[in-house]
Amino acid sequence: MEPEVIRQYVAQNRELETQLTKRNQQYIFDLKKALKAANLSEEELALVMHEMLPVLVREQKSGVTARQLFGTVSERTDAIINQPTEQEQTNTTPVMIWLDNFLLLLGLFGLFIGLVEQFSKGQPQPYGILTLLATTVVGGWAFYLMHKYIYQYQMPGADKSKRPKGGKVALILIGVFVLWFVAILGSGLIPPTINIILPPVVMMIIGVIALAVRFYVKKKFNIESTFGAPRPKK
């Protein structure tokens, strides 16, 4: 980056720091000290502050502290220093994450339904192919939304300033889970001539194939896992 641009960032950063509360000034002071101790260059430090300070100045007007936005100083330092390289970065494209979730659910539900049918012969099962697809297609999107609005912000050092309000998150998740429930129940009402009930062995084969494809696709495209809160890197 051009030296002139860096100088502009440094000047802007200094101006923004004067607008911080005492508590947030102390946080930034401690963070800069920790980053310098970790051998972060002046240019890199200017870029980091240029990203953080405008957000902090804006959010502190609502009483939000730097720690609430960015985690502890040590967590934020670790998140900055250990940022993954371009090759290590995971694929967070919504379609790819949905595909990963869909294949995992298809594999698990296919195996589960197949095993249940296998060991309960004589008892008709309502799980046809359309019910299986409805469960996994909508379910995959539901788990993606949970990751998008909740889990990714639980990572130590995550930028919590971008986290949406709790009410909005609740409405979105309630809506998608209601849709998921309706899709499962609605598909179960479709006549068996359309919602074909496959033999248990076929269902289990579908499950195994789905898990194998998921393993291959996840490894090839380095898709980020969304089942549960992400774990901090050691």
Side-chain angles (χ1 to χ4, degrees):
M1 184 172 289
E2 295 295 328
E4 180 60 30
V5 176
I6 295 299
R7 284 193 289 269
Q8 290 177 4
Y9 282 0
V10 170
Q12 292 170 6
N13 292 342
R14 288 174 180 168
E15 172 61 26
L16 289 170
E17 284 188 50
T18 64
Q19 302 176 37
L20 296 176
T21 63
K22 292 295 183 182
R23 178 182 294 182
N24 289 340
Q25 283 181 351
Q26 185 63 48
Y27 181 97
I28 292 299
F29 175 82
D30 293 339
L31 178 61
K32 289 166 69 174
K33 183 178 179 181
L35 291 174
K36 289 178 181 178
N39 296 320
L40 203 71
S41 70
E42 291 296 329
E43 178 178 336
E44 292 171 324
L45 183 60
L47 291 173
V48 168
M49 292 296 112
H50 185 70
E51 291 177 358
M52 291 179 59
L53 288 171
V55 175
L56 184 52
V57 170
R58 182 181 69 246
E59 294 297 325
Q60 73 176 6
K61 295 177 183 178
S62 303
V64 180
T65 66
R67 178 165 180 164
Q68 291 172 325
L69 280 173
F70 306 114
T72 66
V73 170
S74 61
E75 288 174 345
R76 188 61 178 172
T77 301
D78 184 66
I80 293 169
I81 297 300
N82 296 316
Q83 283 183 354
T85 63
E86 191 170 326
Q87 292 76 19
E88 294 173 328
Q89 288 179 351
T90 53
N91 191 327
T92 58
T93 306
V95 172
M96 296 304 292
I97 292 179
W98 166 81
L99 177 63
D100 178 62
N101 291 343
F102 161 68
L103 290 171
L104 179 59
L105 289 175
L106 181 63
L108 295 177
F109 277 95
L111 286 172
F112 175 76
I113 294 172
L115 288 170
V116 169
E117 292 182 355
Q118 183 68 31
F119 291 102
S120 60
K121 291 184 177 180
Q123 298 181 12
Q125 299 294 332
Y127 307 110
I129 186 64
L130 293 183
T131 302
L132 177 63
L133 290 176
T135 301
T136 54
V137 168
V138 182
W141 190 249
F143 280 102
Y144 162 72
L145 292 178
M146 289 179 66
H147 167 78
K148 178 180 179 181
Y149 292 111
I150 299 177
Y151 294 143
Q152 68 168 316
Y153 298 109
Q154 296 176 356
M155 186 73 167
D159 186 352
K160 297 180 177 62
S161 65
K162 298 178 181 179
R163 180 171 55 188
K165 301 298 182 182
K168 177 182 177 181
V169 173
L171 288 175
I172 292 173
L173 294 183
I174 289 172
V176 74
F177 277 101
V178 168
L179 175 62
W180 193 11
F181 185 69
V182 170
I184 295 171
L185 288 183
S187 63
L189 299 176
I190 299 175
T193 53
I194 301 175
N195 188 16
I196 302 172
I197 298 176
L198 300 174
V201 174
V202 175
M203 291 291 272
M204 287 187 283
I205 290 175
I206 290 175
V208 171
I209 292 175
L211 291 176
V213 172
R214 188 244 181 183
F215 177 82
Y216 170 78
V217 171
K218 189 176 186 67
K219 185 174 182 180
K220 180 177 178 61
F221 296 101
N222 196 25
I223 305 172
E224 181 171 297
S225 296
T226 60
F227 278 78
R231 297 178 179 178
K233 292 183 179 182
K234 296 181 179 180

